[in-house]
Amino acid sequence: MQLNRAHLGRVAFISMVFFLIAVLANPDTTNSADLNLPPIVPPVEDTVLFPYPARRIISELRLGIAAHSLSGEESGSVNFNGEILFGKFFQADNPVVDVLIPRLHIGGSLNTAGHTSFIYTGLTWDYTITEALFIEASFGGAIHNNDKDKVASSNHDLLGCSPLFRESAAIGYRFSNRWLLMAMVEHMSNAGLCRGNRGQTNAGMKIGYNF
């Protein structure tokens, strides 16, 4: 009886060796599901799923030109504008929720005729309509060099005080992952919080470079 058990053990061992050799020689005869192993997932490349990655400190640089003070006392001159946009505070997997997450912006406009120049900051929201076309809105504040003691009749817009609220809206077109062109309009006013609230509206074009 002991001899029979030893013989069976040798047979089982030899059979197992042949089985393993057959499996290694023909790997397609089995798969991870047969062995109850997790499937092998190929590595995922570090692709950019959103046009403005949150991990980047600075996401975009813009330069532009605008008609100054449309229908205002300071109309007839132009502003040169520069703006930096930073990466999103964080990003959401849901694209609808991600639209609500803003980017911080800092910029300034220099008037070529010595009228109101200003620096500004705030938050920017954008929405992609197609792969190339997008719209944008922003809200924040601006500090200007307009002499608040001067009135509108002295060829100055009566802005009342500083800082002011600043809002903007734009429509843009992305030529590539790097370059874009946009048409924008911006407005500054004190929302009636100061005496005199003529406000100021500028409109123009900007070219942007996305990092």
Side-chain angles (χ1 to χ4, degrees):
M1 189 68 179
Q2 292 179 352
L3 181 62
N4 292 337
R5 289 181 178 177
H7 179 71
L8 291 175
R10 293 190 189 95
V11 172
F13 176 78
I14 294 172
S15 300
M16 181 63 69
V17 170
F18 278 106
F19 173 76
L20 292 175
I21 292 173
V23 170
L24 293 176
N26 300 280
D28 294 336
T29 59
T30 185
N31 53 44
S32 59
D34 297 331
L35 300 177
N36 197 25
L37 296 175
I40 299 175
V41 180
V44 179
E45 295 182 357
D46 185 19
T47 56
V48 177
L49 300 180
F50 301 90
Y52 311 113
R55 63 178 178 269
R56 294 181 182 175
I57 298 177
I58 297 178
S59 68
E60 195 173 320
L61 175 65
R62 294 175 178 175
L63 297 174
I65 187 171
H68 180 75
S69 188
L70 302 179
S71 71
E73 298 297 330
E74 298 181 1
S75 62
S77 59
V78 299
N79 294 342
F80 287 112
N81 173 261
E83 186 174 284
I84 297 174
L85 289 94
F86 297 87
K88 289 190 174 185
F89 299 122
F90 63 93
Q91 288 179 316
D93 295 333
N94 188 320
V96 177
V97 176
D98 192 68
V99 172
L100 303 178
I101 303 172
R103 291 184 289 164
L104 176 67
H105 67 255
I106 297 176
S109 285
L110 176 65
N111 183 261
T112 58
H115 294 315
T116 303
S117 296
F118 56 94
I119 58 175
Y120 60 90
T121 186
L123 301 176
T124 297
W125 293 265
D126 52 80
Y127 176 74
T128 299
I129 300 175
T130 67
E131 291 184 357
L133 191 65
F134 67 95
I135 56 176
E136 183 179 281
S138 73
F139 178 79
I143 299 175
H144 61 85
N145 67 348
N146 188 318
D147 188 347
K148 62 179 179 295
D149 294 329
K150 292 185 177 182
V151 296
S153 59
S154 61
N155 297 324
H156 278 69
D157 289 335
L158 186 58
L159 301 180
C161 58
S162 182
L164 300 175
F165 294 104
R166 177 185 175 274
E167 312 88 36
S168 72
I171 182 169
Y173 186 87
R174 297 187 183 95
F175 293 95
S176 67
N177 291 333
R178 298 293 186 184
W179 294 99
L180 61 88
L181 182 67
M182 55 192 297
M184 71 89 190
V185 59
E186 63 183 353
H187 178 75
M188 299 187 300
S189 70
N190 60 50
L193 300 178
C194 304
R195 185 178 65 85
N197 187 32
R198 173 65 177 82
Q200 190 174 94
T201 301
N202 311 313
M205 305 290 291
K206 291 183 181 182
I207 186 170
Y209 180 82
N210 183 22
F211 293 97

